[in-house]
Amino acid sequence: MRKGAGFLPYKETTKYASDLLFRAMNKGVSNLNNMDHLAITVGYKYSSGAIIEEKLNTHRMDQLELEGQPGTRAPHMWLKYQDKYISTLDLIGENFVLLTGEDNRCWRTAAEDVASHLGIFINVYGISSESDLVECEGNWEAVYNVSSQGAVLIRPDGFVAWRTKERILNPNVILKQVMTTILGQESETI
């Protein structure tokens, strides 16, 4: 089957964007005049029904700011997983991904319940020195601008769909509301 002009499969576009991001980080690029193509490809922020916006969240297009804001690409961070070094970007691609802090039992349970109810998959990873994913360089809380009790939901296309910076009281209800909104479905009580 012939593909239309300009069409690239998801894996290729994600690899291209990731390569640009890594190059910019290595060069210390942060000025839009030096990286027009990079800001447009990697650093833009958009709004849609598949993004849960944060209130009073501004995004500057003259700087590459990837800090886990909903509507932006998920930031890169080196991690250790099963004795191998990986990027947070390696976790993205087929399912929704929920990144949490060290104690993620409530998030894992909520994700399992919501995924089962909605018929989708949500991969849940705890990030800390004692979790599924071990921080190698940097601190996940600083990179994603959350507390150790926060969580970040990343869509399969690599964009942050939602984030809570702090602990929330009922992760099951909140995560179900978030997922039904993102997927354009009507919410019911779990």
Side-chain angles (χ1 to χ4, degrees):
M1 180 173 164
R2 184 172 160 78
K3 296 177 183 169
F7 176 81
L8 286 174
Y10 168 76
K11 295 270 185 196
E12 290 178 35
T13 57
T14 301
K15 182 181 181 331
Y16 174 72
S18 298
D19 289 346
L20 287 174
L21 177 60
F22 291 134
R23 275 189 268 155
M25 289 173 58
N26 290 334
K27 291 180 182 177
V29 174
S30 66
N31 184 316
L32 183 63
N33 294 327
N34 295 333
M35 53 160 236
D36 291 341
H37 68 282
L38 184 64
I40 291 167
T41 304
V42 179
Y44 67 93
K45 177 180 185 266
Y46 75 94
S47 299
S48 82
I51 302 290
I52 309 294
E53 295 280 341
E54 294 177 335
K55 291 182 171 91
L56 301 173
N57 183 18
T58 59
H59 181 75
R60 294 182 54 175
M61 280 303 296
D62 63 336
Q63 296 180 354
L64 182 59
E65 295 177 347
L66 297 177
E67 298 173 342
Q69 311 96 309
T72 63
R73 289 193 180 272
H76 155 74
M77 181 180 164
W78 286 114
L79 303 162
K80 196 168 189 180
Y81 179 68
Q82 299 178 347
D83 293 326
K84 293 181 182 174
Y85 290 97
I86 65 167
S87 166
T88 47
L89 303 179
D90 294 327
L91 304 172
I92 301 165
E94 297 193 18
N95 301 317
F96 284 92
V97 172
L98 185 66
L99 300 178
T100 69
E102 183 174 358
D103 183 13
N104 71 352
R105 286 173 292 180
C106 63
W107 285 114
R108 191 173 299 277
T109 300
E112 289 170 359
D113 292 347
V114 170
S116 173
H117 182 79
L118 297 175
I120 60 170
F121 295 99
I122 304 172
N123 299 340
V124 182
Y125 300 98
I127 302 176
S128 73
S129 59
E130 303 293 324
S131 293
D132 307 324
L133 302 169
V134 178
E135 301 161 313
C136 294
E137 91 186 19
N139 174 300
W140 107 271
E141 295 150 4
V143 171
Y144 280 84
N145 193 19
V146 294
S147 73
S148 63
Q149 298 297 310
V152 177
L153 180 68
I154 304 169
R155 300 183 333 193
D157 65 358
F159 281 85
V160 176
W162 170 80
R163 162 176 78 179
T164 180
K165 294 182 178 187
E166 302 292 333
R167 180 182 182 164
I168 58 175
L169 295 178
N170 195 336
N172 279 48
V173 171
I174 298 299
L175 189 58
K176 181 160 188 220
Q177 289 172 346
V178 164
M179 291 305 301
T180 55
T181 299
I182 290 168
L183 298 172
Q185 299 178 2
E186 291 198 24
S187 181
E188 304 168 10
T189 306
I190 294 182

